[in-house]
Amino acid sequence: MSDVAVVTGAAGGIGEAAARRLAASGARCVLVDRDPRVEDVAAAIGGEAVVGDVTDPEVSQRAVVAAGDRLDLLVLNAGTNSVDKDPATLDLGRYQAVVGVNQHSVVYGLRAALPVMRRQGGGSIVVTASFASLRGVEQDPIYTMTKHAVIGLVRALSGPLAREHIRFSAVCPGLVDTPLTAAGRDRFRAAGISMLTAAEVAASVEQLLRTGEPGTELVLHAGRAPAPYVVAPIP
């Protein structure tokens, strides 16, 4: 029986690359994005699209319903940057949107998917985190906060879920050449900063889904082999 996968943020970038890779391996994919172009990606890989904003919990429910009776693989990838650097001048609407996409939608995805995975006896979940989940990035403190929250969730839930035969882990890439980083691409290159490709990250996503150890925080550097992050003991 072919695997069934749900991938969020799948209209482009890492999400699209992961969906294409999973479909190529035989999985039936449900792709989620607020960008209607996700319908073109779904059509190209023989999948199904759910167009909607993942900050709405109902969108995650719709995606799981579209998956049908099974849900083997879940990629919680949707994410966005923040332009607000100073909390004193923070635009609350933008703040709530960023937290909604990067943090709340991960919880909404789990809320929708876990009942199905539990009924079938297992599954595998990967969330797209970031270097910013493991260190402070002063260029985007709000994004950093949300990604730290995601890693905290992985650390807290991966053990309990593993006991239910559900793997829960994260990829933590550095800069990735996607539409999200397009505005700074020339600046990064001029500074000699190497960028990962979406395809490289997608390969690690699939590896974690298929064979990764629960709770893995897989750090991805351009030009280096992926390596799990080792959490230091509390002194």
Side-chain angles (χ1 to χ4, degrees):
M1 181 182 296
S2 298
D3 286 330
V4 180
V6 170
V7 183
T8 69
I14 296 167
E16 177 183 354
R20 289 183 179 276
R21 190 175 183 95
L22 292 172
S25 71
R28 183 175 74 83
C29 296
V30 177
L31 312 187
V32 186
D33 207 294
R34 64 186 177 189
D35 186 337
R37 285 179 291 185
V38 72
E39 295 179 324
D40 297 330
V41 179
I45 65 172
E48 184 173 347
V50 173
V51 179
D53 190 330
V54 290
T55 63
D56 177 359
E58 182 61 26
V59 171
S60 293
Q61 295 288 352
R62 285 169 49 204
V64 169
V65 169
D69 294 333
R70 291 193 61 82
L71 177 53
D72 305 284
L73 311 172
L74 175 62
V75 183
L76 297 169
N77 167 76
T80 189
N81 294 332
S82 173
V83 299
D84 294 295
K85 295 179 172 56
D86 182 358
T89 57
L90 186 67
D91 180 278
L92 290 179
R94 288 197 299 263
Y95 167 76
Q96 290 162 358
V98 171
V99 175
V101 173
N102 292 355
Q103 184 174 327
H104 296 331
S105 76
V106 173
V107 177
Y108 299 156
L110 294 174
R111 179 174 177 267
L114 286 176
V116 179
M117 290 185 171
R118 284 170 172 150
R119 282 199 304 269
Q120 69 195 25
S124 190
I125 304 165
V126 171
V127 60
T128 301
S130 167
F131 273 11
S133 65
L134 305 173
R135 58 178 294 178
V137 178
E138 64 182 49
Q139 293 85 353
D140 198 339
I142 302 303
Y143 179 85
T144 298
M145 179 192 74
T146 62
K147 293 302 182 179
H148 270 64
V150 164
I151 281 295
L153 190 65
V154 172
R155 291 173 181 173
L157 277 178
S158 57
L161 290 179
R163 293 191 285 274
E164 299 183 79
H165 308 290
I166 299 171
R167 294 197 300 274
F168 186 30
S169 55
V171 287
C172 305
L175 284 170
V176 186
D177 191 358
T178 69
L180 200 63
T181 58
R185 185 181 297 131
D186 292 342
R187 185 171 70 254
F188 300 142
R189 288 175 177 166
I193 299 172
S194 299
M195 301 180 75
L196 292 153
T197 66
E200 288 173 320
V201 181
S204 290
V205 168
E206 184 179 28
Q207 180 267 314
L208 282 178
L209 286 171
R210 303 291 190 191
T211 62
E213 288 295 317
T216 299
E217 301 163 25
L218 195 64
V219 178
L220 308 179
H221 290 271
R224 301 185 194 177
Y229 183 76
V230 179
V231 180
I234 296 174

